[in-house]
């Protein structure tokens, strides 16, 4: 009912970060949609309605992350102590580059580079933290204009220093246990706990006689593994750990399980034979 009294809408598009400190340009609309040509930088869009009595409270919308590998540019990141050197080879020669970097939307920094050399040095980069860096090209290099003309050239994620995961994966469970097999599954280690690019998981297991089986390694996209070659009527203990290029993290608390003497079908057949006798 209130929409019948609406005369139009105000749309404010705010780039994040924006070191230029100028107010975003207000767009006035009559329709309830707008097509925006934005770079892959972070943006906050504030929308409000207005009528003869005034303006409504704003509704904020954060443009979500773009996940794509189809970009024309290649960014190379080379850590060097507390500094990180970023280089790139431009596909074309814009008047300037805009570099964004940080650990999250709330921790982004921005620098306009009025040169086409294709390099930039980042200072005070913290170890064991995942950073995102974006490089945009623009033919307008003044604060009030560049956001309208910038085009994302490349995006990269990096650690200045990688560590081992601080914890093992959660929710390790053992399912579908038979005489000689068992399914082990777990939940992935999050980026905040991996302290580096997670390369994979290691599954280690040992039987009640303390006989160790060779550890199994799987890549980071896998969160389950089918153990085979187990002995019947044997207690096993299994542990899972994650690893990065810096090494292996702590193993999970051992999860015990026992293999049966008979498989399901054999147990049913044995039961049927007993009833017949």
């Amino acid at each position: 009912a209130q929409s019948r009294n609406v005369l139009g809408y105000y749309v404010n598009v705010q780039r994040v970060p924006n070191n230029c400190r100028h107010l975003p340009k207000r767009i006035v609309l009559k329709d309830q949609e707008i097509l925006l040509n934005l770079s892959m930088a972070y943006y906050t869009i504030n929308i409000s309605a207005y009528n003869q009595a005034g303006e409504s409270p704003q509704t904020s919308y954060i443009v979500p992350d773009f996940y794509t590998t189809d970009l024309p540019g290649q960014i190379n990141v080379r850590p060097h102590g507390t500094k990180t050197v970023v280089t790139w080879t431009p596909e074309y020669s814009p008047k300037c580059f805009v570099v964004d970097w940080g650990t999250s939307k709330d921790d982004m920094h921005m620098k306009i580079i009025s040169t086409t050399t294709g390099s930039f040095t980042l200072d005070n980069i913290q170890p064991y933290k995942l950073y995102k860096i974006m490089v945009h090209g623009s033919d307008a290099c003044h604060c009030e204009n560049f956001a309208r003309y910038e085009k994302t050239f490349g995006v990269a994620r990096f650690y200045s220093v990688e560590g081992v995961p601080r914890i093992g994966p959660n929710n390790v469970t053992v399912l579908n246990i038979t005489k000689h097999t068992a399914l082990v599954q777990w939940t992935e280690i999050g980026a905040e706990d991996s302290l580096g690019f997670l390369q994979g998981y290691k599954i280690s297991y040992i039987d009640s006689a303390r006989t160790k089986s060779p550890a199994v390694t799987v890549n980071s996209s896998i969160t389950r593994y089918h153990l085979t070659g187990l002995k019947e009527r044997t207690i096993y203990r299994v542990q899972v750990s994650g690893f990065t290029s810096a090494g292996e993290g702590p193993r999970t608390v051992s999860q015990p399980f026992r293999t049966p003497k008979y498989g399901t079908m054999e147990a049913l057949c044995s039961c049927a034979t007993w009833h017949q006798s």
Side-chain angles (χ1 to χ4, degrees):
Q2 294 179 358
S3 65
R4 290 196 295 267
N5 299 320
V6 171
L7 298 178
Y9 301 91
Y10 296 131
V11 179
N12 293 331
V13 181
Q14 177 68 58
R15 188 189 191 279
V16 181
N18 189 353
N19 294 350
C20 301
R21 306 299 182 189
H22 69 279
L23 293 175
K25 183 178 180 181
R26 171 173 280 190
I27 302 171
V28 182
L29 298 173
K30 297 296 184 181
D31 299 324
Q32 291 178 302
E33 64 178 23
I34 182 174
L35 177 63
L36 297 171
N37 186 14
L38 303 176
S39 71
M40 292 175 65
Y42 290 108
Y43 284 88
T44 298
I45 300 175
N46 298 312
I47 304 171
S48 60
Y50 69 92
N51 60 17
Q52 292 179 346
E55 182 179 352
S56 73
Q58 290 184 336
T59 295
S60 293
Y61 173 77
I62 298 174
V63 177
D65 263 337
F66 292 90
Y67 291 96
T68 178
T69 57
D70 187 18
L71 291 173
Q74 178 69 36
I75 299 177
N76 298 305
V77 181
R78 188 174 71 255
H80 185 71
T82 59
K83 299 180 182 294
T84 298
V85 179
V86 182
T87 59
W88 59 88
T89 303
E91 183 190 41
Y92 63 101
S93 297
K95 292 182 179 179
C96 61
F97 289 101
V98 183
V99 181
D100 294 325
W101 73 97
T103 58
S104 67
K105 174 183 177 293
D106 298 323
D107 180 47
M108 295 300 289
H109 309 273
M110 186 196 82
K111 179 75 173 180
I112 299 177
I113 304 174
S114 299
T115 177
T116 58
T117 56
S119 66
F120 184 58
T121 299
L122 306 176
D123 295 320
N124 300 317
I125 300 298
Q126 300 298 312
Y128 316 129
K129 288 189 176 183
L130 179 61
Y131 282 82
K132 179 180 181 180
I133 183 168
M134 295 176 280
V135 178
H136 321 276
S138 178
D139 288 328
C141 303
H142 299 292
C143 272
E144 64 274 12
N145 292 324
F146 81 88
R148 295 167 51 196
Y149 297 98
E150 69 177 353
K151 176 183 177 182
T152 302
F153 168 75
V155 178
R157 289 172 172 82
F158 70 93
Y159 289 88
S160 63
V161 177
E162 290 194 58
V164 302
R166 73 169 91 238
I167 61 172
N170 292 319
N171 303 320
V172 177
T173 55
V174 184
L175 306 170
N176 303 339
I177 303 169
T178 70
K179 280 201 309 181
H180 303 298
T181 65
L183 177 65
V184 183
Q185 66 180 25
W186 59 92
T187 55
E188 65 180 10
I189 301 175
E192 66 278 7
D193 293 315
S194 61
L195 306 185
F197 289 114
L198 193 66
Q199 295 186 348
Y201 298 97
K202 184 177 289 186
I203 302 100
S204 306
Y205 57 105
I206 189 172
D207 64 20
S208 53
R210 310 293 294 178
T211 303
K212 288 186 177 181
S213 299
V216 179
T217 299
V218 297
N219 66 47
S220 60
S221 65
I222 295 176
T223 55
R224 57 169 51 196
Y225 185 78
H226 209 181
L227 299 177
T228 59
L230 303 178
K231 294 181 288 187
E232 63 185 49
R233 295 188 67 183
T234 303
I235 297 175
Y236 286 88
R237 294 183 179 274
V238 63
Q239 294 175 291
V240 185
S241 59
F243 62 91
T244 66
S245 62
E248 181 183 357
R251 296 180 180 181
T252 58
V253 175
S254 62
Q255 182 72 28
F257 67 95
R258 182 188 180 97
T259 56
K261 181 177 181 180
Y262 302 107
T264 303
M265 292 302 295
E266 290 180 349
L268 289 173
C269 290
S270 176
C271 181
T273 302
W274 184 84
H275 280 298
Q276 289 175 356
S277 64

